[in-house]
Amino acid sequence: MWPYPKIVAHRGGGVLAPENTIAAMRCGLTHGFYAVEFDVMLSKDGVPMVMHDPELGRTVQGEGSIADYTAQELMELDAGAWFGVNFIGEPVPSFEQVAHFCIHHNIWMNIEIKPVPGFEDQTGWVVAQAVKRLFEHSLDRTPGALPLLSSFSFDALRAAQLAAPDIPRAFLIEEVTPDWHERLLALGAISLNTNHKHLTPLLARAVKEAGFGLFCYTVNEPARAQEILSWGVDGFCTDRIDLIGPRFGEEPAHISPSSR
C-alpha cells in the first residue's frame, strides 16, 4: 500500500533552504533525505517548472501569474534572495532539472501537480507525460521505484491518469470528505494524502482497511509524528528536517521538551 520512504523532505530542504530549488534538494540530501516532495506547474510555453505559488512575489521576485512567463523568463528570476543572502541568485528550476538531480542521486520523488487555476487538465497531462518519458526505460519496475504523482486537483490527476496510467497517483485533500473512497477509486489512486491536523485514529483506520496508503503533510513536531505513525499512517513530509530525520520511527527517539 505504501512502498515508498516513510519520511519525506518537504519542498526539498524544508525550513533550511529556499523551497523548490536545486539548493533545497542539495540541503535535503545533505541531511540524509533520499525522498523529497516538490511542486510543479506550467510556464506560459507549457514547460513544467518547480514552483509552489501560481503568482510571483512570495519566494520568487516579480509580479503576475506564472502562466504569463515563459520557462526561460522564469529561470532568470531569483528564487533564493527572499530566504537569505547565501542564496541570492538561486534560479527557478525546471522540472527536468530537479528530476535529473533526483535521479542522479537516487532520490525518490513525490511530485505534486499544482496547476495555475484554469490549467488543471493541461498541467496534469504534461507533467505525467514528462515523468513517463523519464522512467519508461527504467530497468527497475518495482512498485517503489517510480515517483508518485499527487494533487489537490481531481481534474489534474484524472488527466495524469489518462496520460500515464502506469505512474502511481495519490489524491491530496486538506480535510477528508465523505466521498474520499469513491474519489480514490475513480482516480485509480494508491494513496490518500491529507493534512495531519484533521486526521483521527478512526479515519486513519478506515483508509488503511480500505487498502490505501495514508500519507500526511506537513508534520514538524516529533511527538506528533510518533502519534500519527502509531495510528497506522504510512509516511509524512516535514519542514523540520533538522528535528525529524529520514530514519525517524525506526528506533525509539528522544524527544526534547522544546519539541513537545
Side-chain angles (χ1 to χ4, degrees):
M1 290 183 288
W2 185 261
Y4 309 113
K6 181 184 295 182
I7 319 298
V8 179
H10 189 224
R11 302 182 193 172
V15 297
L16 302 185
E19 64 181 57
N20 285 326
T21 62
I22 295 294
M25 306 302 151
R26 290 196 186 99
C27 179
L29 186 60
T30 298
H31 282 75
F33 279 82
Y34 286 85
V36 65
E37 181 270 354
F38 57 85
D39 308 282
V40 183
M41 59 184 61
L42 298 185
S43 63
K44 180 180 180 179
D45 47 347
V47 177
M49 304 297 293
V50 177
M51 304 182 75
H52 179 272
D53 297 358
E55 302 285 332
L56 295 173
R58 182 178 67 89
T59 63
V60 180
Q61 295 179 350
E63 58 183 29
S65 171
I66 302 305
D68 294 333
Y69 291 79
T70 66
Q72 185 59 46
E73 289 170 339
L74 290 171
M75 287 190 284
E76 292 172 358
L77 299 178
D78 191 320
W82 70 276
F83 191 87
V85 295
N86 292 335
F87 297 97
I88 292 175
E90 182 69 26
V92 173
S94 68
F95 166 68
E96 185 175 356
Q97 289 172 327
V98 171
H100 281 300
F101 178 90
C102 291
I103 291 170
H104 177 74
H105 293 284
N106 197 32
I107 299 171
W108 177 75
M109 294 176 279
N110 181 343
I111 303 165
E112 181 177 342
I113 303 171
K114 204 166 189 73
V116 174
F119 294 87
E120 288 79 10
D121 288 348
Q122 181 184 357
T123 306
W125 182 276
V126 172
V127 173
Q129 283 280 297
V131 174
K132 180 181 178 180
R133 285 193 298 271
L134 282 171
F135 286 88
E136 62 185 349
H137 299 302
S138 173
L139 298 179
D140 188 352
R141 308 306 293 180
T142 57
L146 295 173
L148 181 66
L149 296 175
S150 63
S151 186
F152 287 98
S153 169
F154 184 93
D155 291 340
L157 268 189
R158 185 59 184 269
Q161 178 184 20
L162 294 172
D166 293 336
I167 304 298
R169 293 167 300 284
F171 186 47
L172 270 162
I173 188 166
E174 172 72 15
E175 190 166 357
V176 181
T177 53
D179 63 348
W180 64 268
H181 195 180
E182 177 184 342
R183 301 184 85 180
L184 288 172
L185 291 176
L187 291 168
I190 66 165
S191 175
L192 178 69
N193 294 11
T194 190
N195 190 333
H196 74 96
K197 295 178 181 179
H198 305 303
L199 190 65
T200 65
L202 185 62
L203 183 55
R205 187 179 309 118
V207 173
K208 296 305 301 175
E209 289 180 352
F212 297 100
L214 179 58
F215 185 84
C216 285
Y217 66 90
T218 303
V219 185
N220 294 327
E221 297 178 352
R224 177 59 172 171
Q226 287 185 327
E227 180 178 35
I228 64 170
L229 290 176
S230 74
W231 296 349
V233 168
D234 294 298
F236 61 86
C237 64
T238 182
D239 284 321
R240 294 306 306 269
I241 64 174
D242 53 335
L243 289 180
I244 300 174
R247 300 181 67 84
F248 182 88
E250 295 183 14
E251 56 187 27
H254 170 73
I255 303 175
S256 65
S258 63
S259 65
R260 293 183 185 276

